[in-house]
Amino acid sequence: MLIGELASRANTSTRTLRYYEEQGLVRPRRDANGYRQYDDAELRVVHEIRSLLAVGFGLDDIKPFVACLRAGNSAGHVCPDSVAVLRRKLAEVDGYLSQLTEVRRQLHTQLTQAVEHRETRCSSL
């Protein structure tokens, strides 16, 4: 399939596909007149890229998943390098959750104090 068809089937733009190619994630074949040709395996790779980007992975993080698919595996997350990325990303998310939990605790404390102060002030009038 040509780049336009792949873009349409992957719900992305041709510009994005060319960018993925520049980053070494997508590998089109070139026909005699230089047009990019893609097969269904590249469509699968693009779907993998898009799904990982959607949950916050960067392109460098995605490379092991693409390599895993290209190695003939049924999924991009089953190879050791992909598992290592998943572990690192999970640790990142856990860190963010801890930070957000602390921010929430502080906000809750301030809100509680503000409400108590207001109620005390109103009852003394």
Side-chain angles (χ1 to χ4, degrees), residues 64-93:
F65 294 84
V66 171
C68 190
L69 285 175
R70 291 198 189 289
N73 293 289
S74 61
H77 64 274
V78 299
C79 295
D81 290 344
S82 302
V83 170
V85 171
L86 289 170
R87 284 189 174 126
R88 184 176 48 75
K89 290 301 276 183
L90 185 58
E92 265 181 47
V93 169

Side-chain angles (χ1 to χ4, degrees), residues 13-25:
S13 67
T14 57
R15 183 178 180 184
T16 297
L17 293 175
R18 286 190 293 273
Y19 179 70
Y20 294 163
E21 180 183 351
E22 288 172 11
Q23 298 303 307
L25 295 170

Side-chain angles (χ1 to χ4, degrees), residues 4-67:
E5 183 181 350
L6 177 62
S8 177
R9 290 178 63 186
N11 198 28
T12 192
S13 67
T14 57
R15 183 178 180 184
T16 297
L17 293 175
R18 286 190 293 273
Y19 179 70
Y20 294 163
E21 180 183 351
E22 288 172 11
Q23 298 303 307
L25 295 170
V26 175
R27 296 183 191 160
R29 293 182 328 276
R30 297 283 184 155
D31 61 16
N33 60 5
Y35 290 134
R36 292 172 174 88
Q37 290 288 333
Y38 301 90
D39 57 19
D40 286 336
E42 290 304 307
L43 177 60
R44 187 162 179 244
V45 165
V46 173
H47 282 302
E48 183 84 3
I49 293 167
R50 308 268 306 147
S51 68
L52 291 168
L53 286 171
V55 295
F57 283 70
L59 291 179
D60 285 337
D61 291 331
I62 292 171
K63 288 178 181 181
F65 294 84
V66 171

Side-chain angles (χ1 to χ4, degrees), residues 112-123:
T112 300
Q113 290 171 352
V115 169
E116 288 173 357
H117 176 73
R118 183 173 177 175
E119 289 173 355
T120 303
R121 192 170 152 223
C122 289
S123 67

